[in-house]
């Protein structure tokens, strides 16, 4: 018993044809702007949590455990869970802030060096990616993932050595204090870790690019962030 809608006038039809196409946000699709906004929001949470842990370094332990558990939970989620992502950002902030405070007490100035170095690597990687100078490949991705797991295992074992007093034999930083051709192993591993991190940044940039160009749902911008 419903009446059919009234036909559109010529002026109304002309206005619809001349209207600009809907933006990704209007279609509830992933966009660069929305992903950047989400990233900025999460980065703000990281900074606030880091500031708190800077003055209460013991919170680093909570951050480390929380970040590890939440990263595993998020990795196996089919859909992005905003609450868990916010919690992960907070845990990361506690870890980074507490650890930075402890190391700054041992080596004054090291925290600012780490911040500047981190932003420099991100900026350079983003510029190179933007101009198509760096891309991932399936084989290289497999190599980096295996290397990452190996590096994580080494770090865990080395941390255990330091915690249980083996540093007296290997040095204050465990096996990292060992020298290879006069260069501390920690320096070599540090360079290796930076290269791995840069490659994983490229993977992140490609994920965002593919998501935007493929019209992924807007909620996946949280994964990109």
């Amino acid at each position: 018993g419903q009446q059919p809608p009234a036909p559109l006038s010529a002026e109304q039809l002309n206005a619809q044809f001349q209207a600009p196409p809907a933006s990704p946000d209007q279609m509830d699709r992933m966009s660069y702007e929305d992903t950047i906004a989400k990233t900025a929001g999460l980065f703000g949470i990281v900074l606030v949590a880091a500031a708190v842990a800077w003055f209460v370094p013991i919170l680093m332990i909570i951050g480390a455990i929380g970040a590890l558990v939440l990263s595993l939970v998020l990795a196996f989620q089919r859909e992005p869970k905003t609450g868990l992502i916010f919690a992960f950002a907070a845990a990361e902030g506690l870890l980074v802030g507490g650890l930075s405070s402890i190391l700054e007490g041992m080596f004054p100035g090291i925290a600012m060096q780490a911040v500047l170095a981190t932003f420099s690597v991100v900026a350079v990687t983003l510029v190179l990616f933007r101009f198509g100078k760096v891309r991932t490949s399936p084989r290289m991705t497999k190599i980096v993932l295996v290397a990452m797991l190996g590096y994580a295992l080494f770090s865990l074992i080395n941390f255990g050595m330091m915690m249980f007093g083996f540093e007296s034999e290997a040095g204050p930083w465990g096996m990292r204090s060992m020298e290879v051709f006069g260069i501390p192993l920690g320096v070599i591993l540090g360079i290796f870790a930076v290269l791995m991190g840069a490659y994983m940044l490229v993977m992140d940039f490609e994920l965002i690019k593919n998501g935007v160009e493929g019209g992924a749902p807007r909620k996946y911008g949280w994964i990109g962030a």
Side-chain angles (χ1 to χ4, degrees):
Q2 295 180 347
Q3 296 295 325
L8 297 176
S9 65
E11 291 78 9
Q12 290 173 320
L13 286 171
N14 188 49
Q16 286 190 0
F17 282 123
Q18 292 183 350
S23 67
D25 287 342
Q26 291 172 327
M27 295 187 295
D28 203 33
R29 296 296 180 185
M30 191 174 170
S31 67
Y32 291 119
E33 294 80 6
D34 183 64
T35 303
I36 291 173
K38 288 180 169 64
T39 303
L42 293 175
F43 186 62
I45 294 175
V46 171
L47 289 180
V48 171
V52 173
W54 179 271
F55 297 102
V56 190
I58 193 65
L59 293 176
M60 177 192 75
I61 299 176
I62 298 176
I65 297 174
L68 175 62
V69 173
L70 288 170
S71 65
L72 293 174
V73 172
L74 288 169
F76 291 99
Q77 292 289 327
R78 292 183 177 272
E79 301 284 335
K81 303 294 184 181
T82 309
L84 294 179
I85 292 174
F86 281 131
F88 175 75
E92 280 289 315
L94 294 177
L95 173 59
V96 171
L99 182 60
S100 298
S101 178
I102 293 173
L103 293 177
E104 181 68 17
M106 299 170 63
F107 308 100
I110 195 173
M112 182 56 65
Q113 292 181 25
V115 170
L116 293 175
T118 299
F119 281 111
S120 297
V121 171
V122 172
V124 170
T125 305
L126 180 58
V127 170
L128 292 176
F129 178 81
R130 173 65 180 81
F131 289 98
K133 301 300 182 181
V134 289
R135 288 292 185 269
T136 63
S137 68
R139 175 177 294 182
M140 190 62 188
T141 298
K142 292 179 180 178
I143 293 174
V144 169
L145 291 177
V146 171
M148 180 188 69
L149 292 175
Y151 181 78
L153 179 60
F154 169 84
S155 298
L156 185 62
I157 294 174
N158 193 63
F159 180 74
M161 291 178 61
M162 294 171 60
M163 288 293 293
F164 292 104
F166 287 96
E167 72 273 9
S168 59
E169 299 179 8
W173 300 104
M175 290 184 287
R176 293 176 186 271
S177 299
M178 299 170 58
E179 294 187 356
V180 179
F181 298 110
I183 303 174
L185 182 60
V187 175
I188 299 174
L189 290 175
I191 296 173
F192 177 68
V194 169
L195 294 176
M196 276 200 306
Y199 186 86
M200 296 179 75
L201 276 174
V202 176
M203 293 172 60
D204 294 336
F205 296 151
E206 284 192 349
L207 182 147
I208 296 171
K209 178 175 180 290
N210 294 335
V212 172
E213 294 180 353
R218 187 176 182 177
K219 60 186 176 182
Y220 285 98
W222 287 112
I223 300 297

